[in-house]
Amino acid sequence: MSIQIRKTLLQVETTLIEGGKAAPLPLKLYSAFAVVKNPWAGKGFVEDLKPEIHAGAPVLGELLTRMIIEAVGSGKAVEGYGKAAVVGLDGEIEHASALIHTLRFGNHYRNAVGAKSYLAFCNTRGPANAPIMIPLMDKNDEGRRSHYLTIQTAIADAPAADEIVVALGASVGGRPHHRIGDRYQDLKDLGHDVTNPAGV
């Protein structure tokens, strides 16, 4: 059985002024959401999550990726990307994680935008109107701090106790007045190797 989708939402946020100063280029943030029935709800502790993952994750990955790409206009235009899931109060964090932490979900997005870096993520549990946080980073460069962003929103009626909200986020541009450098300068200053950033 495939995933049961109650509704989808698409959000676009444009920042024109930040810190009282006009942005050289407006920052555009896009987010796509699917509110789905938790496929493990009411079944007690389920040991093997794979059947539902294999049935639902590809459907959600394809749907949400298509929503983002259609809104942005092209995969190439996406600069920052990320994913998130919020499971309702009757579910486990593992249920939220299950639908987004699989290549069957993420590879749809990764391939569509031509990304090299991993998808930043957040998986939480909460009631309807719980905060939904989608962390973003540059799709090709984890150390590009200008694209460390977070989309924050909420859906008034989701997730219900037996639902999961699954989301993808994208940015076109970075923070308007980014001025904290990138992690490579830190590594250089600290004398650390890029392949061993923590210096351990």
Side-chain angles (χ1 to χ4, degrees):
M1 184 175 92
S2 190
I3 202 80
Q4 182 181 331
I5 301 171
R6 178 164 69 86
K7 68 177 181 179
T8 62
L9 297 89
L10 181 68
Q11 178 175 289
V12 182
E13 177 183 344
T14 304
T15 300
L16 303 171
I17 298 171
E18 179 70 20
K21 182 178 178 182
L25 292 172
L27 166 64
K28 296 188 78 72
L29 299 175
Y30 299 82
S31 44
F33 308 86
V35 180
V36 305
K37 175 83 170 178
N38 182 341
W40 302 284
K43 296 182 179 178
F45 186 86
V46 178
E47 188 66 41
D48 183 8
L49 305 180
K50 280 186 179 180
E52 292 82 4
I53 292 171
H54 290 186
V59 173
L60 294 171
E62 192 278 331
L63 169 67
L64 295 172
T65 296
R66 186 174 69 248
M67 290 171 65
I68 290 284
I69 299 306
E70 287 178 356
V72 174
S74 73
K76 184 177 180 181
V78 172
E79 297 180 24
Y81 76 157
K83 61 186 176 181
V86 182
V87 65
L89 295 179
D90 287 350
E92 300 175 45
I93 291 291
E94 196 73 359
H95 299 162
S97 299
L99 292 178
I100 64 170
H101 294 304
T102 169
L103 297 179
R104 290 171 171 81
F105 176 78
N107 274 359
H108 288 276
Y109 197 19
R110 192 174 291 107
N111 294 337
V113 303
K116 297 176 183 175
S117 61
Y118 68 89
L119 269 161
F121 65 89
C122 181
N123 32 254
T124 57
R125 177 171 46 227
N129 211 37
I132 303 169
M133 312 287 281
I134 312 173
L136 308 179
M137 67 179 184
D138 187 283
K139 68 180 181 182
N140 291 319
D141 185 352
E142 294 99 333
R144 191 181 181 196
R145 290 184 180 145
S146 59
H147 286 57
Y148 291 175
L149 293 154
T150 304
I151 297 171
Q152 180 176 343
T153 191
I155 301 173
D157 67 345
D162 63 349
E163 291 182 329
I164 303 173
V165 176
V166 179
L168 289 179
S171 77
V172 176
R175 297 190 310 279
H177 308 301
H178 57 89
R179 51 198 188 275
I180 61 171
D182 61 39
R183 69 194 303 246
Y184 307 111
Q185 186 60 50
D186 279 1
L187 291 170
K188 182 178 177 182
D189 293 346
L190 293 167
H192 293 181
D193 192 296
V194 172
T195 60
N196 182 22
V200 295

